[in-house]
Amino acid sequence: MFVVSLNYKVPLAEIDRLAPAHVEWLKACYAEGIFVASGPKKPRTGGIIIARGPRDVLDARLAADPFAKAGAADYNITEFTARMTAAGLDAFNEA
């Protein structure tokens, strides 16, 4: 699994302009089963995505994000193995 940390590089007005296309991109990634959870950071300096699947697929999807295409965000990816999960999240346990 992966934790993806987005950090905005442009003013929030530009992020807000790109947000509708970004949300459609998120929906497509959820539909493909790549994304598990996502949301904005507090304070709103970027976002977090929890993802699964092959790294090359994740990299390709992140490159297609409207934020990435516009140069509006940087992406920091941390890979981890989910050895334990909360009740109800057994499908994500990789042990």
XYZ file of all heavy atoms in Angstrom:
716
model
N 0.848 -1.175 0.000
C 0.000 0.000 0.000
C 0.890 1.233 0.000
O 2.095 1.144 0.248
C -0.917 -0.004 1.214
C -1.943 -1.120 1.160
S -3.196 -1.004 2.437
C -4.106 0.395 1.867
N 0.264 2.362 -0.248
C 1.002 3.613 -0.361
C 0.271 4.741 0.356
O -0.957 4.796 0.346
C 1.141 4.014 -1.833
C 1.813 2.969 -2.674
C 1.057 2.012 -3.340
C 3.184 2.935 -2.816
C 1.657 1.041 -4.124
C 3.800 1.966 -3.596
C 3.037 1.021 -4.251
N 1.057 5.622 0.939
C 0.556 6.899 1.426
C 1.141 7.953 0.497
O 2.363 8.050 0.339
C 0.990 7.183 2.877
C 0.535 8.570 3.314
C 0.454 6.116 3.811
N 0.276 8.709 -0.145
C 0.701 9.764 -1.062
C 0.370 11.095 -0.403
O -0.781 11.358 -0.052
C -0.028 9.663 -2.423
C 0.456 10.754 -3.359
C 0.170 8.279 -3.029
N 1.393 11.911 -0.222
C 1.214 13.241 0.357
C 1.389 14.279 -0.743
O 2.463 14.374 -1.344
C 2.233 13.472 1.472
O 2.105 14.773 2.008
N 0.313 15.016 -1.025
C 0.370 16.099 -2.017
C 0.672 17.396 -1.280
O 0.108 17.651 -0.214
C -0.969 16.278 -2.733
C -1.377 15.266 -3.785
C -1.792 13.966 -3.169
C -2.481 15.852 -4.629
N 1.535 18.207 -1.861
C 1.836 19.532 -1.334
C 1.606 20.539 -2.444
O 2.206 20.436 -3.522
C 3.284 19.605 -0.836
C 3.506 18.706 0.354
O 2.859 18.861 1.380
N 4.389 17.739 0.201
N 0.700 21.492 -2.177
C 0.383 22.497 -3.182
C 1.556 23.428 -3.412
O 2.243 23.828 -2.478
C -0.837 23.317 -2.766
C -2.093 22.514 -2.582
C -3.026 22.881 -1.630
C -2.372 21.393 -3.361
C -4.200 22.162 -1.459
C -3.532 20.672 -3.192
C -4.447 21.057 -2.242
O -5.601 20.354 -2.068
N 1.769 23.796 -4.678
C 2.848 24.704 -5.083
C 2.319 26.028 -5.614
O 3.110 26.886 -5.979
C 3.701 24.040 -6.177
C 4.328 22.754 -5.747
C 5.108 22.003 -6.813
C 5.286 22.608 -8.140
N 6.083 21.808 -9.068
N 1.014 26.162 -5.658
C 0.380 27.354 -6.229
C -0.652 27.877 -5.231
O -1.061 27.165 -4.314
C -0.284 27.033 -7.588
C 0.758 26.563 -8.612
C -1.394 26.013 -7.432
N -1.114 29.116 -5.412
C -2.144 29.653 -4.516
C -3.428 28.816 -4.557
O -3.748 28.160 -5.556
C -2.391 31.058 -5.065
C -1.141 31.412 -5.810
C -0.639 30.110 -6.378
N -4.181 28.865 -3.446
C -5.417 28.087 -3.354
C -6.432 28.450 -4.435
O -7.227 27.605 -4.843
C -6.043 28.243 -1.970
C -5.334 27.466 -0.851
C -6.002 27.740 0.486
C -5.291 25.984 -1.146
N -6.391 29.670 -4.929
C -7.310 30.044 -6.011
C -7.078 29.159 -7.243
O -8.031 28.755 -7.910
C -7.136 31.518 -6.367
N -5.832 28.840 -7.519
C -5.517 27.954 -8.654
C -5.944 26.517 -8.345
O -6.464 25.810 -9.213
C -4.028 28.020 -8.986
C -3.597 27.119 -10.117
C -4.189 27.478 -11.481
O -4.873 28.509 -11.625
O -3.966 26.700 -12.426
N -5.732 26.075 -7.113
C -6.178 24.736 -6.699
C -7.694 24.634 -6.846
O -8.219 23.643 -7.376
C -5.744 24.445 -5.249
C -4.208 24.381 -5.143
C -6.389 23.175 -4.715
C -3.541 23.317 -5.991
N -8.410 25.661 -6.400
C -9.874 25.662 -6.507
C -10.335 25.613 -7.962
O -11.331 24.968 -8.276
C -10.457 26.886 -5.809
C -10.328 26.821 -4.297
O -10.125 25.710 -3.756
O -10.425 27.887 -3.654
N -9.599 26.265 -8.846
C -9.937 26.241 -10.273
C -9.784 24.832 -10.848
O -10.583 24.387 -11.678
C -9.043 27.231 -11.040
C -9.413 27.375 -12.513
C -8.432 28.266 -13.256
N -7.143 27.630 -13.480
C -6.899 26.677 -14.382
N -7.871 26.221 -15.148
N -5.687 26.169 -14.523
N -8.769 24.119 -10.383
C -8.478 22.770 -10.885
C -9.262 21.677 -10.149
O -9.324 20.532 -10.602
C -6.980 22.474 -10.732
C -6.031 23.325 -11.559
C -4.595 23.163 -11.073
C -6.147 22.966 -13.032
N -9.873 22.026 -9.023
C -10.499 21.032 -8.146
C -11.580 20.183 -8.824
O -11.615 18.964 -8.606
C -11.042 21.697 -6.888
N -12.489 20.746 -9.627
C -13.510 19.873 -10.242
C -12.893 18.760 -11.106
O -13.330 17.596 -11.019
C -14.344 20.841 -11.075
C -14.193 22.162 -10.369
C -12.761 22.163 -9.890
N -11.890 19.069 -11.876
C -11.231 18.038 -12.695
C -10.479 17.048 -11.809
O -10.453 15.842 -12.090
C -10.290 18.690 -13.702
N -9.880 17.539 -10.724
C -9.174 16.675 -9.772
C -10.154 15.684 -9.133
O -9.836 14.494 -9.006
C -8.491 17.549 -8.711
C -7.866 16.786 -7.598
N -6.682 16.084 -7.736
C -8.257 16.625 -6.305
C -6.376 15.524 -6.570
N -7.313 15.837 -5.688
N -11.344 16.143 -8.764
C -12.354 15.271 -8.150
C -12.797 14.189 -9.137
O -12.952 13.016 -8.760
C -13.549 16.089 -7.625
C -14.713 15.185 -7.235
C -13.110 16.959 -6.448
N -12.964 14.535 -10.391
C -13.324 13.531 -11.404
C -12.213 12.503 -11.559
O -12.478 11.301 -11.707
C -13.649 14.201 -12.744
C -14.936 14.997 -12.705
C -16.132 14.174 -12.241
O -16.332 13.052 -12.757
O -16.871 14.657 -11.357
N -10.974 12.963 -11.521
C -9.823 12.055 -11.582
C -9.827 11.130 -10.367
O -9.610 9.920 -10.504
C -8.536 12.896 -11.665
C -7.284 12.126 -11.437
C -6.609 11.355 -12.341
C -6.537 12.050 -10.217
N -5.498 10.807 -11.761
C -5.436 11.229 -10.456
C -6.701 12.610 -8.955
C -4.494 10.940 -9.468
C -5.775 12.330 -7.973
C -4.684 11.500 -8.235
N -10.078 11.672 -9.166
C -10.161 10.847 -7.959
C -11.233 9.770 -8.117
O -10.991 8.595 -7.810
C -10.501 11.714 -6.733
C -9.401 12.593 -6.167
C -9.988 13.586 -5.166
C -8.307 11.759 -5.521
N -12.412 10.158 -8.593
C -13.508 9.204 -8.769
C -13.105 8.061 -9.690
O -13.435 6.896 -9.440
C -14.745 9.912 -9.316
C -15.431 10.810 -8.311
C -16.619 11.521 -8.959
C -17.301 12.475 -8.016
N -18.423 13.194 -8.665
N -12.389 8.376 -10.757
C -11.941 7.341 -11.690
C -10.952 6.386 -11.017
O -11.016 5.166 -11.225
C -11.319 7.977 -12.928
N -10.062 6.922 -10.192
C -9.088 6.079 -9.490
C -9.761 5.187 -8.458
O -9.368 4.034 -8.273
C -8.005 6.945 -8.855
S -6.927 7.747 -10.067
N -10.798 5.714 -7.791
C -11.585 4.874 -6.876
C -12.298 3.771 -7.661
O -12.332 2.618 -7.224
C -12.604 5.703 -6.097
C -12.035 6.373 -4.877
C -11.726 7.727 -4.885
C -11.809 5.657 -3.701
C -11.207 8.356 -3.765
C -11.290 6.271 -2.578
C -10.992 7.625 -2.613
O -10.476 8.237 -1.498
N -12.870 4.110 -8.796
C -13.596 3.130 -9.613
C -12.671 2.005 -10.078
O -13.101 0.854 -10.213
C -14.257 3.814 -10.804
N -11.400 2.334 -10.305
C -10.419 1.325 -10.710
C -9.930 0.490 -9.536
O -9.221 -0.496 -9.738
C -9.210 2.003 -11.368
C -9.495 2.607 -12.711
C -8.275 3.285 -13.294
O -7.175 2.694 -13.257
O -8.408 4.428 -13.769
N -10.267 0.892 -8.313
C -9.832 0.156 -7.135
C -8.439 0.513 -6.663
O -7.875 -0.193 -5.824
N -7.890 1.601 -7.159
C -6.534 2.011 -6.798
C -6.518 2.775 -5.477
O -5.649 2.562 -4.635
C -5.919 2.873 -7.915
C -5.807 2.054 -9.193
C -4.568 3.435 -7.509
C -5.554 2.897 -10.418
N -7.486 3.677 -5.283
C -7.512 4.522 -4.095
C -8.411 3.914 -3.032
O -9.474 3.368 -3.331
C -7.977 5.932 -4.430
C -6.982 6.735 -5.231
C -7.315 7.992 -5.682
C -5.729 6.255 -5.544
C -6.416 8.753 -6.417
C -4.821 6.992 -6.278
C -5.168 8.247 -6.720
N -7.971 4.036 -1.780
C -8.683 3.516 -0.627
C -9.316 4.655 0.174
O -10.422 4.532 0.673
C -7.720 2.707 0.273
C -8.384 2.262 1.555
C -7.144 1.523 -0.497
N -8.601 5.775 0.290
C -9.089 6.941 1.042
C -8.323 8.166 0.551
O -7.205 8.060 0.056
C -8.867 6.751 2.540
N -8.953 9.337 0.707
C -8.278 10.580 0.319
C -8.963 11.752 0.991
O -10.112 11.647 1.426
C -8.296 10.765 -1.207
O -9.633 10.851 -1.680
N -8.248 12.853 1.059
C -8.832 14.071 1.609
C -7.789 15.153 1.778
O -6.588 14.902 1.654
N -8.251 16.367 2.067
C -7.333 17.496 2.221
C -6.610 17.468 3.564
O -7.121 16.933 4.548
C -8.259 18.714 2.138
C -9.575 18.208 2.633
C -9.654 16.771 2.193
N -5.423 18.048 3.583
C -4.694 18.243 4.828
C -5.325 19.414 5.584
O -6.002 20.257 5.000
C -3.229 18.588 4.544
C -2.438 17.459 3.937
C -1.005 17.925 3.693
C -0.164 16.850 3.058
N 1.207 17.329 2.778
N -5.091 19.448 6.879
C -5.497 20.582 7.716
C -4.244 21.100 8.388
O -3.607 20.346 9.125
C -6.520 20.143 8.763
C -7.845 19.754 8.166
C -8.832 19.413 9.265
C -10.171 19.028 8.683
N -11.154 18.759 9.722
N -3.821 22.314 8.130
C -4.431 23.286 7.232
C -4.317 22.838 5.774
O -3.566 21.916 5.445
C -3.647 24.568 7.488
C -2.310 24.103 7.965
C -2.574 22.830 8.716
N -5.024 23.521 4.912
C -5.168 23.121 3.503
C -3.913 23.487 2.692
O -3.886 24.410 1.903
C -6.399 23.804 2.927
C -6.845 23.196 1.633
C -8.192 23.728 1.219
N -8.393 23.436 -0.184
C -8.940 24.260 -1.038
N -9.374 25.445 -0.654
N -9.081 23.904 -2.294
N -2.884 22.669 2.877
C -1.620 22.853 2.164
C -1.386 21.755 1.139
O -0.353 21.735 0.475
C -0.444 22.854 3.149
O -0.441 21.602 3.867
C -0.540 24.015 4.136
N -2.346 20.830 1.048
C -2.216 19.692 0.137
C -3.248 18.651 0.504
O -4.284 18.961 1.080
N -2.943 17.398 0.194
C -3.879 16.321 0.468
C -3.147 15.019 0.738
O -1.929 14.930 0.574
N -3.908 14.033 1.168
C -3.387 12.690 1.435
C -4.235 11.692 0.659
O -5.459 11.811 0.608
C -3.451 12.345 2.941
C -2.595 13.305 3.764
C -3.053 10.888 3.186
C -1.090 13.156 3.556
N -3.571 10.715 0.059
C -4.244 9.612 -0.631
C -3.663 8.310 -0.096
O -2.439 8.172 0.000
C -4.022 9.674 -2.156
C -4.598 10.965 -2.743
C -4.621 8.444 -2.841
C -4.187 11.216 -4.191
N -4.526 7.376 0.260
C -4.099 6.012 0.572
C -4.440 5.183 -0.656
O -5.581 5.197 -1.131
C -4.828 5.443 1.811
C -4.715 6.386 3.007
C -4.313 4.042 2.141
C -3.314 6.614 3.504
N -3.423 4.497 -1.184
C -3.606 3.764 -2.442
C -3.059 2.348 -2.319
O -2.277 2.042 -1.417
C -2.888 4.502 -3.570
N -3.474 1.521 -3.260
C -2.950 0.155 -3.322
C -2.758 -0.230 -4.778
O -3.247 0.442 -5.682
C -3.895 -0.819 -2.632
C -5.262 -0.902 -3.257
C -6.121 -1.855 -2.500
N -7.493 -1.804 -2.995
C -8.426 -2.632 -2.626
N -8.156 -3.579 -1.759
N -9.646 -2.529 -3.106
N -2.026 -1.322 -4.977
C -1.774 -1.801 -6.325
C -0.312 -1.648 -6.686
O 0.508 -1.213 -5.874
N 0.031 -1.971 -7.906
C 1.433 -1.850 -8.348
C 1.893 -0.390 -8.391
O 1.118 0.507 -8.757
C 1.425 -2.457 -9.754
C 0.152 -3.225 -9.863
C -0.817 -2.574 -8.933
N 3.137 -0.169 -8.042
C 3.692 1.189 -8.015
C 3.652 1.847 -9.387
O 3.369 3.046 -9.500
C 5.141 1.141 -7.477
C 5.919 2.445 -7.530
C 5.310 3.498 -6.599
N 5.923 4.783 -6.768
C 6.833 5.315 -5.960
N 7.255 4.649 -4.908
N 7.324 6.505 -6.194
N 3.917 1.101 -10.450
C 3.923 1.712 -11.775
C 2.534 2.215 -12.170
O 2.408 3.254 -12.821
C 4.494 0.769 -12.835
C 3.711 -0.532 -12.990
O 3.098 -0.997 -12.017
O 3.724 -1.083 -14.112
N 1.499 1.501 -11.737
C 0.127 1.948 -12.014
C -0.161 3.220 -11.222
O -0.717 4.186 -11.762
C -0.890 0.839 -11.683
C -2.313 1.348 -11.784
C -0.680 -0.360 -12.608
N 0.235 3.246 -9.950
C 0.044 4.447 -9.135
C 0.768 5.639 -9.752
O 0.191 6.725 -9.882
C 0.533 4.210 -7.710
C 0.493 5.425 -6.785
C -0.922 5.950 -6.596
C 1.141 5.089 -5.449
N 2.011 5.448 -10.145
C 2.781 6.539 -10.745
C 2.084 7.090 -11.997
O 2.013 8.309 -12.192
C 4.191 6.080 -11.104
C 5.078 5.864 -9.884
O 4.767 6.397 -8.801
O 6.089 5.146 -10.028
N 1.556 6.194 -12.820
C 0.869 6.631 -14.036
C -0.396 7.417 -13.697
O -0.690 8.438 -14.332
C 0.523 5.422 -14.904
N -1.139 6.947 -12.690
C -2.363 7.662 -12.302
C -2.039 9.028 -11.711
O -2.721 10.006 -12.002
C -3.192 6.841 -11.300
C -3.725 5.537 -11.827
C -4.497 5.689 -13.141
N -4.975 4.424 -13.630
C -4.284 3.606 -14.420
N -3.081 3.922 -14.818
N -4.811 2.477 -14.845
N -1.016 9.106 -10.876
C -0.641 10.398 -10.289
C -0.204 11.381 -11.372
O -0.519 12.573 -11.292
C 0.468 10.221 -9.249
C 0.072 9.455 -7.981
C 1.284 9.263 -7.085
C -1.063 10.135 -7.239
N 0.485 10.905 -12.381
C 0.919 11.786 -13.477
C -0.274 12.348 -14.242
O -0.173 13.416 -14.858
C 1.850 11.025 -14.420
N -1.408 11.647 -14.197
C -2.611 12.096 -14.906
C -3.478 13.044 -14.077
O -4.452 13.588 -14.591
C -3.438 10.883 -15.325
N -3.134 13.242 -12.807
C -3.892 14.157 -11.948
C -3.826 15.563 -12.533
O -2.742 16.045 -12.883
C -3.298 14.144 -10.538
C -4.004 15.055 -9.549
O -5.005 15.710 -9.902
O -3.538 15.106 -8.394
N -4.964 16.241 -12.656
C -4.939 17.622 -13.151
C -4.006 18.537 -12.349
O -3.411 19.449 -12.924
C -6.395 18.065 -13.036
C -7.160 16.793 -13.223
C -6.343 15.749 -12.510
N -3.845 18.283 -11.055
C -2.892 19.071 -10.265
C -1.465 18.846 -10.772
O -0.682 19.789 -10.887
C -2.959 18.697 -8.780
C -4.192 19.135 -8.049
C -4.452 18.642 -6.787
C -5.100 20.035 -8.585
C -5.576 19.034 -6.074
C -6.237 20.434 -7.886
C -6.476 19.936 -6.632
N -1.126 17.599 -11.079
C 0.214 17.284 -11.588
C 0.422 17.883 -12.970
O 1.474 18.471 -13.258
C 0.434 15.777 -11.623
N -0.571 17.721 -13.831
C -0.448 18.228 -15.205
C -0.273 19.736 -15.244
O 0.406 20.265 -16.128
C -1.666 17.803 -16.017
C -1.714 16.294 -16.244
C -3.048 15.868 -16.784
C -2.961 15.617 -18.260
N -4.240 15.131 -18.818
N -0.847 20.437 -14.258
C -0.731 21.899 -14.201
C 0.486 22.346 -13.391
O 0.724 23.549 -13.258
C -1.999 22.491 -13.585
N 1.248 21.397 -12.837
C 2.392 21.753 -12.008
C 1.982 22.397 -10.693
O 2.738 23.163 -10.105
N 0.778 22.049 -10.214
C 0.219 22.689 -9.024
C 0.546 21.965 -7.722
O 0.329 22.515 -6.651
C -1.296 22.807 -9.168
N 1.072 20.744 -7.805
C 1.353 19.981 -6.587
C 2.569 19.083 -6.781
O 2.858 18.644 -7.897
C 0.144 19.139 -6.198
N 3.261 18.829 -5.674
C 4.310 17.818 -5.611
C 3.735 16.608 -4.900
O 2.825 16.735 -4.075
C 5.520 18.328 -4.805
C 6.364 19.320 -5.567
O 6.452 19.204 -6.807
O 6.943 20.206 -4.920
N 4.279 15.425 -5.177
C 3.782 14.179 -4.617
C 4.923 13.445 -3.925
O 5.963 13.196 -4.534
C 3.214 13.284 -5.725
C 2.100 13.956 -6.490
C 2.377 14.934 -7.436
C 0.778 13.646 -6.238
C 1.361 15.582 -8.113
C -0.251 14.279 -6.920
C 0.052 15.255 -7.858
O -0.962 15.893 -8.524
N 4.703 13.102 -2.661
C 5.665 12.302 -1.907
C 4.993 10.961 -1.626
O 3.919 10.924 -1.012
C 6.041 13.013 -0.604
C 7.066 12.242 0.192
O 7.701 11.334 -0.317
N 7.204 12.589 1.458
N 5.608 9.868 -2.075
C 5.002 8.541 -1.967
C 5.786 7.697 -0.971
O 7.004 7.556 -1.093
C 4.983 7.839 -3.338
C 4.229 8.701 -4.343
C 4.365 6.448 -3.224
C 4.416 8.272 -5.781
N 5.069 7.131 0.000
C 5.656 6.212 0.964
C 4.959 4.873 0.813
O 3.726 4.790 0.942
C 5.472 6.728 2.405
O 6.080 8.018 2.523
C 6.097 5.777 3.415
N 5.732 3.826 0.546
C 5.165 2.482 0.446
C 5.269 1.789 1.799
O 6.256 1.974 2.517
C 5.907 1.667 -0.607
C 5.299 0.304 -0.847
C 5.902 -0.442 -2.024
O 6.847 0.064 -2.634
O 5.394 -1.537 -2.326
N 4.231 1.030 2.158
C 4.273 0.262 3.400
C 3.482 -1.021 3.227
O 2.691 -1.160 2.297
C 3.740 1.090 4.587
C 2.246 1.262 4.605
C 1.458 0.495 5.444
C 1.621 2.189 3.778
C 0.075 0.660 5.462
C 0.243 2.356 3.796
C -0.534 1.584 4.639
N 3.721 -1.964 4.123
C 2.983 -3.220 4.147
C 2.022 -3.174 5.323
O 2.454 -3.028 6.467
C 3.951 -4.415 4.298
O 4.862 -4.400 3.203
C 3.197 -5.740 4.325
N 0.736 -3.269 5.053
C -0.282 -3.239 6.104
C -0.326 -4.606 6.781
O -0.901 -5.547 6.256
C -1.633 -2.872 5.521
N 0.289 -4.720 7.926
C 0.317 -5.979 8.677
C -0.888 -6.113 9.612
O -1.296 -7.208 9.948
C 1.592 -6.075 9.509
C 2.842 -6.083 8.671
C 3.295 -7.514 8.460
N 4.602 -7.483 7.824
C 4.852 -8.049 6.660
N 3.900 -8.677 6.019
N 6.045 -7.985 6.136
N -1.415 -4.979 10.049
C -2.590 -4.981 10.918
C -3.569 -3.933 10.402
O -3.153 -2.893 9.885
C -2.205 -4.645 12.357
C -1.277 -5.662 12.997
S -0.764 -5.163 14.662
C -2.294 -5.365 15.549
N -4.857 -4.228 10.554
C -5.897 -3.288 10.161
C -7.010 -3.303 11.192
O -7.159 -4.267 11.946
C -6.488 -3.646 8.777
O -6.953 -5.000 8.816
C -5.462 -3.499 7.675
N -7.780 -2.237 11.214
C -8.941 -2.158 12.104
C -10.025 -3.115 11.603
O -10.035 -3.520 10.437
C -9.478 -0.728 12.123
N -10.925 -3.455 12.512
C -12.061 -4.307 12.145
C -12.792 -3.704 10.965
O -13.001 -2.493 10.889
C -13.010 -4.439 13.337
N -13.126 -4.534 10.006
C -13.819 -4.063 8.817
C -12.884 -3.728 7.678
O -13.327 -3.484 6.565
N -11.587 -3.673 7.947
C -10.611 -3.336 6.900
C -9.721 -4.528 6.564
O -8.630 -4.359 6.027
C -9.756 -2.147 7.337
C -10.491 -0.855 7.591
C -9.547 0.232 8.080
C -11.207 -0.381 6.324
N -10.198 -5.721 6.835
C -9.403 -6.928 6.610
C -8.935 -7.066 5.159
O -7.881 -7.650 4.901
C -10.197 -8.167 6.997
C -10.508 -8.196 8.494
O -9.765 -7.563 9.270
O -11.502 -8.852 8.865
N -9.678 -6.555 4.211
C -9.305 -6.674 2.802
C -7.991 -5.942 2.492
O -7.353 -6.232 1.486
C -10.417 -6.107 1.913
N -7.582 -5.031 3.383
C -6.348 -4.267 3.157
C -5.148 -4.848 3.894
O -4.039 -4.368 3.729
C -6.555 -2.814 3.555
C -7.682 -2.184 2.794
C -8.869 -1.874 3.416
C -7.578 -1.931 1.433
C -9.932 -1.311 2.709
C -8.619 -1.379 0.715
C -9.795 -1.068 1.361
N -5.365 -5.876 4.701
C -4.284 -6.490 5.460
C -3.418 -7.309 4.507
O -3.911 -8.200 3.818
C -4.860 -7.369 6.574
C -3.837 -7.762 7.576
O -2.688 -7.999 7.242
N -4.237 -7.862 8.826
N -2.129 -7.003 4.473
C -1.210 -7.666 3.558
C -0.344 -8.711 4.251
O 0.605 -9.213 3.666
C -0.303 -6.627 2.889
C -1.093 -5.623 2.075
C -0.224 -4.501 1.547
O 0.559 -3.917 2.330
O -0.347 -4.194 0.355
N -0.665 -9.026 5.505
C 0.152 -9.991 6.264
C 0.007 -11.384 5.724
O -0.895 -11.762 5.097
C -0.247 -9.947 7.729
